[in-house]
Amino acid sequence: DSGIINATLVGLGQACSPLSTALPHGSIALVERGVCPFAVKADTAVAAGAMGLVFWDPGPTDDEEAPMVTTGDRVQLPLVTVGRRAGAELSAALQTMDNNAQT
């Protein structure tokens, strides 16, 4: 087993309310930290069909740290947190891909 995962990364922004459409099969959701509780964000991604979560903090945090406070919320899928710089780069790459697909 190589440990490599082939998946589509989909940006969900804050993910504080249900999505109107399902995510592509096998998607990993990129979700911004803040605004609504962690459990709401996770539930939104799970309900849309995400197989994993990448959380990032767009706020003024240290790029070397990826803080996450869950207050004991249970999530039934794999998740990882990344720092502001990595999250911003992922988000920008998704926006570039979306813009290229629309032209």
Side-chain angles (χ1 to χ4, degrees):
D1 186 11
S2 67
I4 296 173
I5 297 173
N6 257 338
T8 301
L9 184 65
V10 179
L12 298 186
Q14 292 289 337
C16 292
S17 49
L19 302 178
S20 59
T21 59
L23 299 177
H25 179 71
S27 293
I28 295 177
L30 178 65
V31 179
E32 295 176 12
R33 188 169 181 247
V35 179
C36 63
F38 173 78
V40 170
K41 295 171 183 296
D43 289 346
T44 298
V46 169
M51 69 176 229
L53 297 166
V54 176
F55 282 95
W56 72 287
D57 190 345
T61 60
D62 184 345
D63 285 333
E64 300 303 316
E65 297 180 15
M68 179 59 61
V69 178
T70 66
T71 65
D73 297 325
R74 287 185 56 192
V75 177
Q76 299 298 319
L77 69 166
L79 70 91
V80 64
T81 60
V82 298
R84 179 173 41 102
R85 185 178 335 185
E89 288 173 0
L90 289 170
S91 182
L94 289 173
Q95 289 176 6
T96 298
M97 290 181 347
D98 286 345
N99 290 339
N100 289 340
Q102 293 173 9
T103 57

